[in-house]
Amino acid sequence: MNGTGRLPRPAGDGGAPRPPGAEERRRAVLAAARREGVVRVDVLAGRFGVSRETVRRDLRVLEDDGLVRRTHGGAVARAGPAAGPPPWQGPPAPPQAPRIALAAARLLGASETVFVDEGPVACLVADALPRDRALTVVTASPAVAALLAWSAHTTVLLLGGRIRALGTAAADAWTVRMLAGVAVDLAYVGADGVSCGFGLTADDHAVGEVRAQALRSAGRRILVGAHAVFGVVRLCRFGEVGDLEAVVTDTGLPVSEARRYAALGPRVVRA
């Protein structure tokens, strides 16, 4: 927080990021369709900083290639062998998630090695990372790995271990041991609950252990999550709010609450 009492703006507010090239954007559009099942023209236009007509043209190309089927206002991924990795199988991302992900990606800075957590918001963060520079991404999520594997400049290190269910990530002692042997510049982690009094919590002990190790392995730590997880306490505690460099959420978190979290140390970005 600054001397005016206002929350600081996310890095990069002074200028929009460079829009991706057509081929890169179409791959990202296809990845979003596979992950989310349904994509909308207006949402994609905002995500990539292009016109709706440009998105419609991208969807026509993808439809001609047999990869999506256009619908009114958007498109759906086609099933079958050409569809590639399955979309995210868990709960859908909240509508604010694309804004949160873009704001989180703007905080990447000079970091070269990044941990990306599991879940729909984490997938959007992975989608928003730059593709025009060398980057190593460490993740336990097959969905995140599949999104980034095609990028010529991105090296993906997929952590092993037990996959709990379709669409989730590896989470057991093997996963934690592998992650303990890696030093990352920046960790993007999620949480099922965030509380000023009880810190960062997860529904599942194994997931919490992976997230706790990610925080230990990282030089910088950024929590990414929608406002609904704040003020919530789940079963397994894995970290402290004060250990974070930044918290990236949406404007559904009231300014008064954001200031309470910021008072514990992290920068709070409401995207």
Side-chain angles (χ1 to χ4, degrees), residues 104-241:
R106 292 189 187 112
L107 299 180
L108 177 66
S111 297
E112 297 178 348
T113 306
V114 181
F115 172 83
V116 179
D117 205 347
E118 65 174 278
V121 179
C123 285
L124 289 171
V125 172
D127 244 354
L129 293 174
R131 303 292 201 270
D132 59 351
R133 53 175 272 199
L135 197 65
T136 297
V137 174
V138 181
T139 185
S141 167
V144 168
L147 282 171
L148 298 172
W150 58 266
S151 176
H153 299 290
T154 304
T155 299
V156 180
L157 301 181
L158 180 59
L159 302 171
R162 176 178 59 89
I163 300 292
R164 305 184 313 283
L166 182 63
T168 61
D172 64 9
W174 286 356
T175 317
V176 174
R177 280 200 299 269
M178 291 180 69
L179 186 52
V182 178
V184 298
D185 299 323
L186 169 63
Y188 289 112
V189 297
D192 300 305
V194 184
S195 163
C196 286
F198 206 71
L200 315 178
T201 53
D203 288 326
D204 185 284
H205 174 74
V207 174
E209 287 297 306
V210 173
R211 288 171 173 167
Q213 183 58 58
L215 296 179
R216 290 192 293 269
S217 296
R220 302 172 56 207
R221 307 165 189 89
I222 295 177
L223 178 79
V224 183
H227 71 275
V229 303
F230 289 84
V232 174
V233 176
R234 297 303 189 190
L235 179 64
C236 305
R237 183 176 185 173
F238 67 86
E240 301 283 354
V241 174

Side-chain angles (χ1 to χ4, degrees), residues 23-94:
E23 184 63 25
E24 179 183 352
R25 186 180 60 249
R26 285 167 191 160
R27 291 190 185 202
V29 168
L30 178 58
R34 290 170 175 170
R35 182 183 63 252
E36 300 166 22
V38 180
V39 290
R40 293 186 53 81
V41 169
D42 52 353
V43 173
L44 293 173
R47 184 181 304 178
F48 298 113
V50 296
S51 69
R52 296 183 183 185
E53 183 52 41
T54 295
V55 174
R56 292 189 187 100
R57 187 162 55 247
D58 290 340
L59 293 177
R60 283 197 295 271
V61 171
L62 293 172
E63 185 175 51
D64 289 344
D65 290 340
L67 299 172
V68 304
R69 177 174 58 82
R70 284 189 294 159
T71 63
H72 180 69
V76 297
R78 287 190 180 276
W88 167 251
Q89 298 293 309

